[in-house]
Amino acid sequence: MSSNANIKYILEHKDIVESHIQKHKATWQPLAGDQTQQQPEDVPINVFIRVRPLLQHDHDAGSYSLVEVQDQRLIHVTHPTIRWAGGRIATKTYDADGIYPDTASSDDVYNGMNITREITQVLHEHGRELSILAYGQTGTGKTFTTTAIEERVASEAFDHAMPDYVVNITLSILEIRGSASYDLLSEPALQPVKISAASGKAQYQGLSVHDVASKEALLNLVQKGKSLRLTRSTSKNDTSSRSHSIVSIKICQRREGFPDLVSAINIVDLAGSERSSIIANNSPERVKESIDTNKSLAALKECIRARLSNRHSHIPWRSDKLTMALKGAFDEKKTSNKLLVIACISPSVLDIEDSLNTLKYVTPFQLSAAHAVDAIIRQRDFSSVDDPRKWSYEKSKAYIARNMPKISSLTDRLLPTPTSGIASLFPLTAPEFEQLCETPAPREAAAPDARTVAAARAWLPAYHKKLQDLAAKGLALDRARTEGKGPGSRVVARASAGVTQGRATKGSVIAALNGIDPTANETGFVLRLAADGKEWDKLERLEKANQVM
């Protein structure tokens, strides 16, 4: 069933979906005291989530919210998936350092993220750098959020400076459009900027730097620069930002007889992320633009993952202009540097796939998927949990054909021998994955034509993300096996919905607590739907009858 047909079903069966949401809500457990505290100060990255309100076009389409926020630390996203042979309604749960519902104001977000505290620490320590990064689908309020943050930061950069020091603040604003970079404050406007890496630092040839003497002057320059940022109309937003903007504020504080204090604050408004299926429907110019954007977002993710790795892994910050510009956020030598990520999502039925993609993107930054692992540990039974690291060649090939259809013609390159499994792809970085797809394999019966390879390139960031998600499941299982040893607790196995001509039949068995798939972050109540989408209550009773202890 197509995405549009899936959305149509969800809109037409609001009563079934909202009934599921209420049943899931009844399974919530109160958070422990330490789970409701403010985010820790000694970690390099904190992740926050902001939910925008339903907009007029959502109401016009009859849409409603699929998102529930619990105690500002957990977000529950209901994801109905309908197929020709039936479907399911499940809820996935994510945790974060702070979650702000659609009723939260920009001041609530700013105060909840403790940006004032971070700015104070930046201004009181030489060499410290704070980066604030907004990520999300087009039309979810990233620019709205970063604009409000810029207004407060402009004031606090002056207000919280060290007493008895002379403060000098400079500003530059860089725009990254695909493979090109521009100065948003240059005269004449939009002069190109060459970004390069030299001596372990990012160099900006042609980027102007402007002195600002007051908070008003700082804000006026920010507004002037961002008004020149490239925008294009999209289905979600008439003036969607199609580029990354980086507002860089450098603060130098001087006092006679004391060393200078030099620090920096970066506020990054990323271009709106788009799914590959949406990219393919755009004009050739937009397709190239979106491919470049997705490549830079994939590079950013690789750098943050490497920064958080327990191993001393290489951080590939030179791989993209965006990551070069944000090099300070990944610098493991500067342990006091801080990155605050705010993921902006829509609660609407119309945007459910994009909202889940946003949450999956930021999950490796900080979210631990503790709920999924804890669910497995409670189960203490791993025999029927599928470990993708053990998949055979045939199973790996089938997965690629089913879940990565745009590169299925490159299977011989991805799995070069009959003993290859999909696990061999897990360690690859995004550039390495792209290179593998473009390199002919010895056992190829017939090499794909150049047009096929070029068309597949647009899908590589999304498919690389799928591989990383599979790898994360394997790691979750390792932890669960380590921590879950000992006497097993009760295991409930439920038949999933195999449906033929509207009649429920016993299908494959999943190991899960109350029908949950713990490796997918699913929590609470799961509904199975019959093929006609209306026999869900009958099917639920059948599944209960088929439970085995």
Side-chain angles (χ1 to χ4, degrees):
M1 184 177 291
S2 69
S3 175
N4 289 338
N6 195 56
I7 290 174
K8 181 180 178 182
Y9 174 89
I10 299 169
L11 293 176
E12 291 177 349
H13 294 83
K14 180 179 178 181
D15 55 337
I16 295 177
V17 177
E18 291 195 331
S19 173
H20 162 84
I21 292 174
Q22 292 306 312
K23 290 178 180 178
H24 173 268
K25 202 168 182 178
T27 69
W28 289 7
Q29 298 293 326
L31 299 183
D34 60 347
Q35 289 181 280
T36 58
Q37 301 301 311
Q38 293 182 338
Q39 69 271 17
E41 300 182 37
D42 58 349
V43 295
I45 299 174
N46 289 128
V47 175
F48 305 88
I49 300 168
R50 186 178 194 181
V51 185
R52 74 152 169 82
L54 291 172
L55 303 179
Q56 188 58 50
H57 74 266
D58 296 311
H59 294 297
D60 292 344
S63 187
Y64 52 95
S65 176
L66 295 176
V67 171
E68 294 282 346
V69 176
Q70 179 185 356
D71 296 330
Q72 294 191 342
R73 296 305 298 270
L74 296 180
I75 186 167
H76 307 275
V77 184
T78 295
H79 185 209
T81 52
I82 314 302
R83 300 290 184 264
W84 67 271
R88 69 203 304 268
I89 303 176
T91 299
K92 299 185 178 184
T93 299
Y94 301 85
D95 61 349
D97 293 300
I99 301 174
Y100 308 101
D102 55 5
T103 55
S105 67
S106 292
D107 282 344
D108 293 333
V109 174
Y110 191 93
N111 295 333
M113 293 173 68
N114 283 306
I115 296 178
T116 299
R117 180 189 72 189
E118 299 296 342
I119 289 177
T120 302
Q121 292 176 344
V122 163
L123 294 174
H124 288 215
E125 181 180 337
H126 175 70
R128 188 159 181 154
E129 187 170 329
L130 168 66
S131 298
I132 304 169
L133 185 152
Y135 172 82
Q137 170 203 6
T138 295
T140 51
K142 299 185 303 298
T143 301
F144 177 82
T145 298
T146 54
T147 299
I149 290 174
E150 288 157 0
E151 292 174 357
R152 292 280 299 270
V153 169
S155 175
E156 294 187 347
F158 286 92
D159 294 343
H160 294 281
M162 291 284 286
D164 302 322
Y165 276 69
V166 176
V167 181
N168 179 42
I169 295 181
T170 60
L171 172 72
S172 60
I173 306 181
L174 177 70
E175 179 188 40
I176 300 176
R177 304 182 189 174
S179 59
S181 308
Y182 300 92
D183 185 348
L184 293 182
L185 293 178
S186 63
E187 293 292 346
L190 300 175
Q191 290 297 296
V193 176
K194 181 179 179 181
I195 305 177
S196 59
S199 302
K201 296 180 180 179
Q203 306 289 334
Y204 306 92
Q205 184 179 338
L207 181 64
S208 61
V209 179
H210 302 259
D211 290 315
V212 289
S214 67
K215 62 186 74 174
E216 292 77 17
L218 178 55
L219 268 180
N220 287 339
L221 273 179
V222 170
Q223 291 167 358
K224 173 188 174 182
K226 295 188 73 172
S227 68
L228 297 175
R229 190 177 172 197
L230 177 67
T231 61
R232 298 196 195 284
S233 175
T234 72
S235 60
K236 301 294 183 185
N237 192 341
D238 290 338
T239 56
S240 173
S241 298
R242 304 310 310 152
S243 63
H244 309 305
S245 79
I246 304 175
V247 175
S248 296
I249 303 170
K250 300 291 175 60
I251 307 102
C252 180
Q253 303 175 85
R254 292 188 172 93
R255 181 181 177 183
E256 188 175 349
F258 292 84
D260 291 350
L261 295 177
V262 181
S263 48
I265 301 171
N266 303 309
I267 304 171
V268 185
D269 183 3
L270 294 173
S273 59
E274 293 183 340
R275 284 176 289 146
S276 301
S277 56
I278 295 176
I279 291 175
N281 296 326
N282 293 324
S283 65
E285 181 185 7
R286 283 288 310 281
V287 168
K288 183 180 184 305
E289 180 183 280
S290 297
I291 290 173
D292 288 336
T293 295
N294 285 352
K295 281 184 176 180
S296 67
L297 293 174
L300 174 65
K301 186 174 184 177
E302 289 293 328
C303 287
I304 295 178
R305 276 180 163 169
R307 173 66 181 88
L308 292 176
S309 174
N310 292 326
R311 300 169 296 168
H312 296 288
S313 55
H314 168 66
I315 299 177
W317 62 274
R318 294 179 178 84
S319 60
D320 189 84
K321 287 182 170 60
L322 176 63
T323 52
M324 281 194 279
L326 293 175
K327 194 258 184 180
F330 321 126
D331 194 341
E332 57 187 356
K333 295 179 181 178
K334 296 183 178 180
T335 56
S336 62
N337 285 1
K338 189 83 170 195
L339 174 62
L340 305 180
V341 178
I342 181 159
C344 299
I345 69 168
S346 163
S348 173
V349 169
L350 306 178
D351 301 314
I352 181 59
E353 298 295 339
D354 292 292
S355 295
L356 285 171
N357 283 343
T358 295
L359 294 172
K360 290 175 183 177
Y361 181 91
V362 300
T363 292
F365 295 177
Q366 187 270 343
L367 312 185
S368 63
H371 300 283
V373 175
D374 289 345
I376 298 175
I377 293 172
R378 284 197 301 269
Q379 294 276 87
R380 298 186 181 182
D381 177 76
F382 312 102
S383 58
S384 53
V385 179
D386 200 10
D387 188 343
R389 295 170 302 175
K390 299 180 180 178
W391 287 357
S392 65
Y393 171 84
E394 291 299 331
K395 189 164 187 176
S396 299
K397 183 177 179 181
Y399 177 88
I400 292 171
R402 184 174 63 254
N403 295 283
M404 303 179 179
K406 299 297 182 180
I407 60 171
S408 59
S409 61
L410 308 178
T411 299
D412 287 339
R413 300 180 179 185
L414 300 174
L415 304 172
T417 70
T419 59
S420 299
I422 202 165
S424 64
L425 305 177
F426 294 165
L428 300 181
T429 64
E432 289 170 342
F433 180 58
E434 181 175 348
Q435 182 179 4
L436 180 64
C437 291
E438 294 179 349
T439 304
R443 63 192 296 264
E444 279 183 324
D449 60 77
R451 185 185 297 272
T452 298
V453 176
R457 192 176 292 117
W459 297 81
L460 296 184
Y463 289 163
H464 182 257
K465 182 181 178 303
K466 283 181 179 288
L467 293 172
Q468 296 302 304
D469 290 341
L470 281 179
K473 288 184 179 182
L475 294 175
L477 287 171
D478 279 346
R479 180 183 155 194
R481 290 187 177 102
T482 300
E483 299 181 15
K485 292 179 180 179
S489 57
R490 186 175 66 178
V491 177
V492 178
R494 296 180 63 182
S496 62
V499 182
T500 304
Q501 298 179 348
R503 297 191 305 275
T505 59
K506 188 173 181 179
S508 61
V509 174
I510 62 170
L513 184 64
N514 296 331
I516 309 156
D517 176 1
T519 63
N521 272 13
E522 291 177 2
T523 59
F525 192 81
V526 177
L527 289 180
R528 304 282 196 269
L529 302 178
D532 58 10
K534 298 179 182 179
E535 298 184 19
W536 58 279
D537 54 338
K538 182 191 301 182
L539 186 58
E540 184 191 17
R541 290 196 298 271
L542 174 64
E543 288 192 340
K544 287 182 178 179
N546 286 333
Q547 288 181 2
V548 293
M549 308 306 288

